[in-house]
Amino acid sequence: MTMQDGMSHFSPGPDMGRELRSALSRFGTGVTIVTTSTDAGPVGITANSFSSVSLDPPLVLWSASRASRRYPAFREAEHMAIHVLAENQMDLCRAFSASAHAFDQVDWRESERGVPLLQGCLARFECERYAEYDGGDHAILVGRVLKASVRQGLPLLFYGGQFGQFAVGA
Ligand SMILES: Cc1cc2nc3c(=O)[nH]c(=O)nc-3n(C[C@H](O)[C@H](O)[C@H](O)COP(=O)(O)O)c2cc1C
């Protein structure tokens, strides 16, 4: 690692994992919970890798860690719902980070397609499976948005490993 112009410079490698994570965490994101249903019941996961992809057709993506015990459920899923969290939903974020089965912590109902829909989020995208791409130790799951829901409010944000809120014009 070298220091120049007030920045650390390094090439990613096996011994640089912490530094790479730290650099990537400089990109602030929102936070989502992705849900789907399985034969064994509903499953959810906290994910900040969500991104919009295309308006026409309407496509979104998130990246699932192949090492996650929840990955098989999402790999097999024909439908999923992606929930953008509001600033008061940090507990829910932590709950679905710790467990795939935190549905007792939130009001939810099933969509016509059997997908768990969580209440209280800022936006929700109900998706059908569109594509899966190789993303190294993650899989890039692309969904086609069949239904979008949105309300006014402020988001939960994630930056540098910490949660925070949006400050308008700060
Ligand atoms: C803020 C935040 C963002 C996360 N984003 C992702 C993500 O984009 N993709 C992913 O696979 N896991 C992500 N995780 C990790 C999962 O939520 C969960 O902790 C992990 O899947 C637990 O391992 P398990 O699935 O084997 O139980 C994130 C966790 C946090 C707290």
Side-chain angles (χ1 to χ4, degrees):
M1 183 143 64
T2 59
M3 285 292 295
Q4 199 185 3
D5 306 326
M7 297 184 87
S8 313
H9 305 272
F10 62 93
S11 299
D15 51 343
M16 283 289 149
R18 206 159 59 96
E19 287 76 7
L20 182 58
R21 274 175 188 268
S22 170
L24 292 170
S25 79
R26 264 47 179 184
F27 183 62
T29 68
V31 184
T32 71
I33 294 173
V34 189
T35 59
T36 192
S37 56
T38 70
D39 291 344
V43 171
I45 186 170
T46 297
N48 72 332
S49 53
F50 171 77
S51 185
S52 57
V53 176
S54 164
L55 290 176
D56 186 16
L59 303 178
V60 295
L61 69 75
W62 70 286
S63 303
S65 169
R66 295 184 192 279
S68 166
R69 290 166 291 177
R70 307 173 211 184
Y71 169 52
F74 289 100
R75 184 184 57 206
E76 304 302 326
E78 283 304 315
H79 293 94
M80 63 183 168
I82 302 177
H83 306 78
V84 177
L85 297 188
E87 63 180 2
N88 64 346
Q89 292 183 304
M90 190 155 66
D91 288 351
L92 202 57
C93 160
R94 289 191 197 283
F96 275 102
S97 171
S99 168
H101 311 292
F103 289 90
D104 56 342
Q105 317 250 340
V106 60
D107 285 340
W108 65 281
R109 64 178 174 84
E110 271 190 3
S111 74
E112 318 83 86
R113 297 176 186 85
V115 178
L117 303 181
L118 311 183
Q119 305 302 307
C121 56
L122 269 193
R124 182 170 61 218
F125 304 97
E126 293 172 59
C127 303
E128 68 179 6
R129 178 194 178 82
Y130 183 83
E132 175 174 338
Y133 298 105
D134 179 29
D137 61 11
H138 281 59
I140 301 165
L141 302 177
V142 181
R144 181 187 179 105
V145 180
L146 301 177
K147 188 171 177 184
S149 311
V150 63
R151 70 167 174 85
Q152 293 294 319
L154 290 169
L156 180 65
L157 298 179
F158 189 62
Y159 172 76
Q162 291 187 298
F163 295 99
Q165 296 174 357
F166 182 65
V168 182

